[in-house]
Structure formats: structure tokens, C-alpha cells
Amino acid sequence: MHDLHRQLLQHLMAAGAIGEDELLQLMKSLVQGYAHDLGNDSRYSKYIRPGTSKASVDECVTVLNKELEFFSLKVVKAHSVAEKKFYYGVVNLVNDEAAQKATSFSASQVVLFSKVKGLIQEAQVGDHPGSIDCMAAENARQTIGTGVPAIDASAAEEAIRKLVEQKWLSLVQDGDDVYQLGPRSILNAQYTGS
């Protein structure tokens, strides 16, 4: 694995999800930066051929996935119907206790997200992605139940903002605040079933 692969992985992990065109531009930039080094190694010289393409990105993802397999992680690609584009992201393939502890969200925020995600999925009609308005998302906090601390309205609003920022939810209608599942949710659902 070359530094180009490691740097691409770092970008994917930091962003949570990156659009296909954005990732292609990042790959082109990395190839330019490592061109001399890549040209001196026959394993990677294919990257510096004219026209870094989506095939080059997919090849790079294949190399990363071979290295990540041991950790039960995978770089995956999924289509966001709402945003009409493909995204790449790193998915944890094992939803165990260690994975659940490795989050910046509190237990209450995780349960809130689960409730909001459920409401969005219930609103889905055929191939058209489901969505809910801001009020429904924030009111989901009232159904959290026992076992986790209650969450007030301002904390729910902050949690939803954080979920949008980290691409678990997408704000699809600014002004009216309508939410759909974000690219990270789509990636995880496609590869982990959750």
C-alpha cells in the first residue's frame, strides 16, 4: 500500500462520505503530488497514466479493502437517490460492542437517530426516498423510552444538526428543514443492513 492509498483513506475517514466526483478530483490531486514516486514503482505506475478515471479510484479502493479486511472495515460505494449521486465511505462491517463505543454520539443521541431513521424509512414510498420535517425529527425525542437519559428539544436539535454535519442525515429542503437519510446512512444500510 502506498502513501497515496493511506492519504485517500484518511480523507474518507475524516469526511465520513465523499461524493464520487469529489473523490475523483482528490485522487487526481494525490496522483499529481505522488507522480514521481508512483512512476518509480511498477505496482503503482498505472495511476500516473493520462486521465485518472473512476476506474483508477475503484482500483485504489480495491487495494484499500484488502488492507482493511482484517479490521472488518470496507470502503464502499452507494447511490443517494435524494442527492442523485454516488458516495464513497468507510463502513464498519461488524456492529459489535467495540463499534458502538466508537462514536461521538451519546446513547440518547444514538436512540434519537434510530427513531428519526425509522420515521424516514416509514415515509418511503416505492423508490422515492422518505423524508420528515424538522418538527417530526425533533419530536422523535419524545419516543426515546426508558434505559437512556431523556433529551430536551434543544439537545435534540443539536443532535440532528450534528447528524447532518456528519452526513448521517441530509437536509434536502433548506428553509423548510426536511430531512432524508444521508450518504453515510445509505452506505451503512447497503453493507450492514442497519
Side-chain angles (χ1 to χ4, degrees):
M1 187 158 82
H2 189 273
D3 284 345
L4 174 138
H5 299 96
R6 281 187 275 283
Q7 197 166 358
L8 189 69
L9 178 60
Q10 288 294 327
H11 281 279
L12 282 165
M13 290 188 319
I18 298 178
E20 185 175 46
D21 292 338
E22 201 180 333
L23 191 66
L24 181 59
Q25 289 306 315
L26 173 62
M27 180 80 174
K28 287 178 180 179
S29 173
L30 291 173
V31 165
Q32 268 186 322
Y34 289 111
H36 178 71
D37 192 34
L38 293 169
N40 291 332
D41 189 328
S42 61
R43 295 173 298 168
Y44 306 120
S45 60
K46 61 186 162 231
Y47 292 127
I48 61 169
R49 284 188 222 128
T52 300
S53 66
K54 292 176 183 175
S56 299
V57 172
D58 290 340
E59 166 67 27
C60 195
V61 165
T62 300
V63 171
L64 286 172
N65 283 336
K66 286 178 185 170
E67 299 294 326
L68 292 173
E69 185 176 9
F70 175 79
F71 301 102
S72 298
L73 298 172
K74 187 173 187 175
V75 176
V76 296
K77 176 182 176 180
H79 186 254
S80 170
V81 175
E83 298 180 36
K84 297 179 177 85
K85 66 181 187 177
F86 284 93
Y87 279 91
Y88 286 83
V90 179
V91 172
N92 185 344
L93 299 173
V94 179
N95 190 16
D96 59 6
E97 189 176 329
Q100 291 172 7
K101 289 180 180 178
T103 180
S104 62
F105 292 99
S106 70
S108 298
Q109 291 172 325
V110 170
V111 173
L112 174 67
F113 173 57
S114 178
K115 299 288 184 179
V116 168
K117 185 168 78 170
L119 291 170
I120 292 170
Q121 289 169 331
E122 287 173 15
Q124 185 171 339
V125 179
D127 289 339
H128 187 69
S131 61
I132 61 172
D133 64 20
C134 176
M135 193 61 89
E138 290 174 17
N139 285 341
R141 71 182 176 78
Q142 297 170 348
T143 64
I144 286 180
T146 59
V148 294
I151 188 168
D152 66 25
S154 64
E157 187 177 328
E158 176 61 24
I160 291 166
R161 185 199 58 74
K162 187 175 172 184
L163 288 162
V164 169
E165 186 178 283
Q166 293 187 15
K167 299 180 182 167
W168 292 104
L169 295 175
S170 289
L171 181 61
V172 292
Q173 202 171 342
D174 208 6
D176 292 334
D177 290 353
V178 173
Y179 299 101
Q180 291 180 335
L181 294 179
R184 288 180 79 176
S185 294
I186 295 165
L187 289 163
N188 273 301
Q190 186 171 336
Y191 289 90
T192 65
S194 63

